[in-house]
Amino acid sequence: MVSVTGLCIGMGLGFCFGLGIGMSGAQGATVLYYQMEGTAGTTAAAVADSGANGLTGTAGNYGGGGAATPTYSGVTVGPIITAGIGGAVVNANNTTSLKFENPGVAGGNFQTNAGGRVTLASSALLEPANFTIEAFVRVESQIQFASIVGKERNSGSTWLMDSNPSGHSGVTEPTNMTLRARIDHQVLESSGGMGSGQNQSFGSSGSISSAATGLGDGWHHVAMTYDDSENRVRLFVDYVQVGTGVLSADGVQDLVYNGGLFFIGGGGGGRGFDGWIDEVRFSDSLLVTNDFLRVVPEPGRMVLLMMAGLMGMMWRRRG
């Protein structure tokens, strides 16, 4: 990997900040990282984990109604992804994302459960006390309560990051979508997903899509953290905290796991996402905004590559 921080040494911090690159804090351990790399236009199957744990996901669909498996798309958030401001380049050639389709849109139904998704069987690695989940999303059609990423349990979710729309009426597309965290922390005996602590949610003030045309307004970075010491959820849109809340004492005032699937794009009591999802990363610690995944725009990409070459030449000469 090319270290952006390393490239800044010798050029001065002024140069780095001129590119929108600064120095990052310490990174937590990455549990899984789906870069969504594949051949554009093809149907996804095994979704590779770029992290060290090899937690390969499986693409499929759920909810019936003509739901399709996600496909690889050449529409991406950007060419180079770094692990935070000034962090290492973790994806030097981001060429594809995953496109998720909710078939209910064709019939004018914006409350359909059907959709494509990526799933991963439960693992102790996916149940840390503290965590950060982040992704880049681009909404196409605004489905009511569309699931972005979460961890299933019973008929709901241990935790879920989804959308919270307004202005919808089933066959009318919502006029705005904000980010939401849903936590189901009722005791395990409530197998039907009901009871104290069921469906507790925290909304955000930050929009992830809007527009009367039904198209989202471009890519957004979304993130959620869970702090076990405070039982606190925090939501972030485009590197700004936009919502927070503490789990109630109803049921169990902690996250409750029961071996459910980790999923992207649909599930956990939510509906099928319609749009693009790129660069999904799950970390077993509380990352701060400076450590969230960042995009280096195309002009910066060329500069980085040139600098990497120059630094390589300098190191060879010194050797």
Side-chain angles (χ1 to χ4, degrees):
M1 293 187 296
V2 179
S3 170
V4 180
T5 303
L7 296 178
C8 291
I9 298 173
M11 297 299 292
L13 289 178
F15 177 84
C16 295
F17 283 109
L19 286 176
I21 301 170
M23 307 302 286
S24 174
Q27 285 281 335
T30 297
V31 175
L32 68 80
Y33 179 19
Y34 293 147
Q35 296 180 343
M36 310 303 197
E37 291 300 316
T39 302
T42 64
T43 301
V47 179
D49 174 21
S50 298
N53 296 311
L55 299 175
T56 301
T58 301
N61 59 74
Y62 86 118
T69 299
T71 58
Y72 290 106
S73 168
V75 177
T76 72
V77 67
I80 289 182
I81 309 298
T82 65
I85 299 176
V89 174
V90 291
N91 189 350
N93 190 30
N94 183 31
T95 60
T96 57
S97 64
L98 273 188
K99 177 63 167 65
F100 294 79
E101 301 282 354
N102 187 318
V105 174
N109 183 359
F110 296 94
Q111 294 178 312
T112 175
N113 290 330
R117 67 174 181 167
V118 175
T119 59
L120 174 65
S122 184
S123 161
L125 293 171
L126 299 170
E127 300 179 0
N130 303 303
F131 70 81
T132 300
I133 181 69
E134 55 183 317
F136 292 98
V137 300
R138 180 173 177 173
V139 173
E140 183 169 44
S141 295
Q142 302 179 95
I143 306 299
Q144 181 193 25
F145 302 131
S147 298
I148 298 171
V149 57
K151 187 76 163 56
E152 288 185 337
R153 65 159 298 211
N154 298 339
S155 60
S157 302
T158 292
W159 59 267
L160 169 65
M161 184 165 60
D162 70 0
S163 63
N164 183 30
S166 61
H168 62 81
S169 62
V171 295
T172 301
E173 187 163 12
T175 56
N176 182 270
M177 286 174 65
T178 56
L179 197 64
R180 184 183 76 146
R182 170 180 169 175
I183 310 291
D184 293 327
H185 60 110
Q186 72 275 19
V187 296
L188 285 172
E189 287 74 14
S190 300
S191 58
M194 302 301 291
S196 297
Q198 192 268 341
N199 202 12
Q200 185 174 359
S201 62
F202 309 101
S204 79
S205 60
S207 176
I208 58 172
S209 81
S210 60
T213 62
L215 298 178
D217 55 350
W219 287 97
H220 295 277
H221 180 274
V222 295
M224 168 183 162
T225 64
Y226 178 73
D227 184 342
D228 181 67
S229 67
E230 300 178 0
N231 302 112
R232 179 175 292 278
V233 174
R234 292 179 172 87
L235 292 169
F236 302 83
V237 174
D238 295 331
Y239 311 105
V240 175
Q241 182 174 312
V242 293
T244 187
V246 174
L247 300 191
S248 70
D250 292 337
V252 180
Q253 198 178 5
D254 284 299
L255 295 183
V256 180
Y257 295 96
N258 71 340
L261 295 172
F262 179 92
F263 64 91
I264 301 168
R271 298 189 167 99
F273 183 82
D274 193 80
W276 295 262
I277 298 179
D278 203 0
E279 306 292 313
V280 176
R281 185 173 70 162
F282 183 75
S283 305
D284 64 1
S285 60
L286 299 171
L287 300 187
V288 298
T289 55
N290 281 358
D291 293 329
F292 291 165
L293 295 173
R294 300 276 173 157
V295 179
V296 178
E298 189 64 38
R301 180 186 192 188
M302 296 304 298
V303 173
L304 285 176
L305 292 175
M306 291 173 62
M307 289 183 63
L310 288 172
M311 293 298 290
M313 292 174 61
M314 292 172 61
W315 286 328
R316 284 194 295 271
R317 288 176 180 174
R318 289 176 180 175

